[in-house]
Amino acid sequence: MLAVLKSCTLSGYEGVLTLVEVNVARGFPHFDIVGLADTAVKESKERVRAALTNNGFKLPSERITVNLAPASIQKRGPGLDLPIALGILAASGQIPLSEKLQNTLVAGELSLEGKIRPVKGVLSMAIAAEKNRLPALALPVENAQEGAAIPGVRALPVSSLKELVAWCLGRVELEPAVPISHCGPDPASLADLARVKGQHGAKRALELAAAGGHNLLLVGPPGSGKTMLANCLPSLLPSLSQEQSLEVSQIYSVAGLLPHGRLVSEPPFRSPHHSASLGGIVGGGAVPRPGEISLAHRGVLFMDEFPEFRRSVLEVLRQPLEEGRITIARTQSTHTFPSRFLLVAAANPCPCGFFAVPGGRCRCTAGQISRYRSRFSGPLLDRIDLWLDVPPVDYEKLRQRGGEEPSAVVRKRVVAAREIQGRRFGGGQLNAAMDSHQVETYCSLDAAGESLLKEAFRRLGLSARAHQRLLKVARTIADLAGQEGIRGEDMAEALSYRSLSWQGDDRY
């Protein structure tokens, strides 16, 4: 007898509807799983066998064939245990293959005693169920609230195989889970700009970065406040839209980082250590999973000690910085993860960090400084819109009490500028993501601005990409000022973020 149930497998961060076809036929007792299954799926035979026998069900002493369709997509993980077990029971006539079971997406890992364990990527499974017009999902209790986050799909929490079988037989009713609120950091826990003493130029750069989605490089000696400034950036960013929240939450669900089924509602902030591997930053592994650049999607990726990251890590950032996604190729499949993040890179001016600091504390040789700064490759710097020197804070400003603008005030200006961009582009796009046609359409300069840009292009030897990014920054400056066109002073400010003090140093 043949039984077909519906489940889901993950491809990248998206769920793919999977048909679990179970056939029980006469023949020598054997249990086969086909359909491009990985080791974890093939091992489900032993988990299913033990769970069925330990719960009083009969494992047919016939030939059992399980086909996982479509066969062209790799099936990974233990989430197919539960539908395989139910398929065997239905194909052997121990439970009816009812309409409600056929219209339910089933997923879960089985323990040997028949308990149902949680799985990753349930949010993507719920989205797949909604797309395929399946009204219900049978899920582990721990995952049910996550599945309930998608409107129109009932997430039925199940704790054991026996409980699910009783539901199939009509002996019990499963109460749908109720979605819980979104999650985000406590506003009081976020670093506030009011706590940063001085550094008004850096604060302005943070405002521009938040308003237009521009990447930012902070260069300064230890203790100048680079890390604290970066930590203040989340307090300037508006909450995620419903669509953005769902997209980010999908990534966190696949990574197993979605807390208690709550959707991510605030822009994420990721700060990997400079010793992180290439796979940890960009994602990958035998079972491709999102890396730090994808976990920072729609949020901030803070890379402290930027030149200390491996060269391979720094250079691989080019694609996501330009395209907003990262593609991971494997022998049997290729996966693309979204990676549109705001990069904040922090670095010292030299290996010891004290170059040009009053007091002559730097003892680095010219060769050491040159090698250190050469890690900032030209193509990578070209993709960073704002370059800023962060000098040490003097004593008077450090001891000053009050007078600093709080994040809440700056955030209002950021939100207003983003609303202008929303009306301009008709969506969640920011100025930093404009293509060349949009730059030509929306970045018109007055005579003074045109003259400044022309002179800078000639003197600084700017690339075509740098030229485009200057216009995008100037557009954001004008948006913050509520100006329709870009003035000469807007372009002058944008140009001020395109140079570092060391570039005129003869030791470099």
Side-chain angles (χ1 to χ4, degrees):
M1 183 177 174
L2 175 67
V4 181
L5 277 72
K6 296 179 178 67
S7 188
C8 191
T9 191
L10 297 175
S11 178
Y13 78 109
E14 296 181 327
V16 178
L17 185 69
T18 303
L19 298 182
V20 180
E21 303 170 339
V22 182
N23 188 62
V24 177
R26 292 180 181 179
F28 187 80
H30 199 64
F31 193 161
D32 278 329
I33 297 179
V34 298
L36 207 58
D38 75 345
T39 302
V41 177
K42 290 179 178 178
E43 289 175 347
S44 69
K45 290 188 294 186
E46 303 308 321
R47 292 191 294 271
V48 168
R49 191 192 308 272
L52 289 176
T53 55
N54 287 335
N55 283 271
F57 301 109
K58 181 184 176 183
L59 184 70
S61 56
E62 297 173 284
R63 186 172 186 86
I64 303 171
T65 304
V66 178
N67 180 47
L68 307 174
S72 59
I73 295 178
Q74 180 86 41
K75 318 303 184 305
R76 299 183 174 93
L80 296 170
D81 289 2
L82 192 54
I84 290 174
L86 286 180
I88 291 173
L89 293 176
S92 61
Q94 297 179 65
I95 63 172
L97 189 59
S98 61
E99 184 179 350
K100 72 175 181 180
L101 181 56
Q102 290 178 308
N103 289 328
T104 300
L105 190 150
V106 182
E109 177 186 350
L110 279 174
S111 71
L112 300 186
E113 62 176 337
K115 299 295 184 184
I116 301 176
R117 292 173 173 159
V119 293
K120 296 179 180 179
V122 165
L123 186 60
S124 296
M125 296 179 187
I127 293 172
E130 191 268 339
K131 286 181 178 177
N132 288 277
R133 299 183 179 180
L134 295 176
L137 301 93
L139 299 167
V141 171
E142 294 87 343
N143 295 131
Q145 287 181 317
E146 182 180 335
I150 304 302
V153 178
R154 294 183 301 122
L156 307 176
V158 186
S159 60
S160 68
L161 179 60
K162 274 188 174 181
E163 184 183 14
L164 187 55
V165 168
W167 175 76
C168 293
L169 296 172
R171 296 173 182 170
V172 299
E173 288 296 325
L174 298 177
E175 192 68 28
V178 177
I180 53 180
S181 61
H182 291 42
C183 73
D186 180 1
S189 68
L190 296 176
D192 196 291
L193 278 179
R195 302 174 190 170
V196 180
K197 304 298 182 183
Q199 303 296 11
H200 298 296
K203 291 178 182 179
R204 171 63 173 174
L206 282 183
E207 183 177 346
L208 287 172
H214 302 289
N215 302 314
L216 174 64
L217 170 63
L218 301 173
V219 178
S224 58
K226 302 186 297 294
T227 301
M228 189 171 185
L229 284 163
N231 288 331
C232 288
L233 193 51
S235 66
L236 307 183
L237 300 175
S239 299
L240 300 175
S241 67
Q242 186 174 358
E243 181 181 354
Q244 292 170 344
S245 173
L246 196 59
E247 187 180 27
V248 174
S249 298
Q250 265 190 274
I251 298 170
Y252 276 70
S253 176
V254 170
L257 299 176
L258 200 60
H260 310 297
R262 295 173 181 261
L263 299 188
V264 179
S265 61
E266 298 297 325
F269 182 86
R270 305 294 298 183
S271 180
H273 192 263
H274 60 77
S275 63
S277 67
L278 179 63
I281 297 295
V282 304
V287 179
R289 57 171 287 160
E292 290 292 338
I293 62 174
S294 294
L295 294 172
H297 182 59
R298 302 291 182 186
V300 178
L301 178 67
F302 176 46
M303 300 181 73
D304 201 5
E305 304 294 343
F306 192 60
E308 300 298 338
F309 281 84
R310 302 177 191 186
R311 185 64 178 259
S312 59
V313 170
L314 296 181
E315 295 307 317
V316 84
L317 290 176
R318 295 188 197 179
Q319 182 196 6
L321 285 176
E322 196 72 25
E323 302 175 8
R325 64 179 185 272
I326 184 71
T327 300
I328 301 171
R330 291 293 178 265
T331 304
Q332 296 178 330
S333 60
T334 299
H335 303 282
T336 298
F337 293 96
S339 303
R340 189 167 295 284
F341 54 87
L342 196 167
L343 174 67
V344 179
N348 296 323
C350 68
C352 77
F354 294 103
F355 176 79
V357 174
R361 298 165 63 184
C362 179
R363 295 295 181 266
C364 300
T365 65
Q368 289 173 326
I369 294 174
S370 179
R371 284 191 298 272
Y372 180 80
R373 295 176 181 175
S374 68
R375 297 176 190 174
F376 298 90
S377 71
L380 183 56
L381 278 177
D382 242 8
R383 289 166 169 82
I384 299 178
D385 302 347
L386 307 169
W387 309 348
L388 199 74
D389 288 304
V390 183
V393 183
D394 59 43
Y395 181 80
E396 287 71 20
K397 289 181 180 177
L398 196 61
R399 297 298 298 167
Q400 182 179 324
R401 293 289 183 267
E404 302 290 349
E405 194 173 38
S407 291
V409 175
V410 179
R411 179 172 174 161
K412 289 180 180 178
R413 295 198 296 266
V414 169
V415 170
R418 288 199 173 197
E419 287 174 352
I420 292 173
Q421 294 166 70
R423 292 192 294 270
R424 176 183 299 134
F425 303 119
Q429 181 183 332
L430 298 178
N431 287 334
M434 283 192 287
D435 57 30
S436 57
H437 175 71
Q438 290 173 322
V439 169
E440 187 175 349
T441 304
Y442 300 116
C443 298
S444 58
L445 303 175
D446 63 11
E450 191 70 51
S451 176
L452 273 173
L453 182 59
K454 181 179 180 180
E455 185 67 13
F457 189 86
R458 184 180 63 82
R459 288 195 177 187
L460 301 178
L462 299 176
S463 66
R465 182 183 290 112
H467 166 264
Q468 296 274 304
R469 291 187 176 274
L470 274 170
L471 288 169
K472 294 175 185 179
V473 173
R475 178 68 268 169
T476 300
I477 294 170
D479 288 343
L480 282 168
Q483 300 288 335
E484 183 68 27
I486 299 175
R487 303 164 299 173
E489 50 263 45
D490 301 328
M491 180 52 66
E493 184 179 354
L495 284 166
S496 72
Y497 300 118
R498 203 65 199 178
S499 63
L500 294 168
S501 59
W502 77 37
Q503 291 177 316
D505 179 57
D506 58 8
R507 295 174 68 184
Y508 178 40

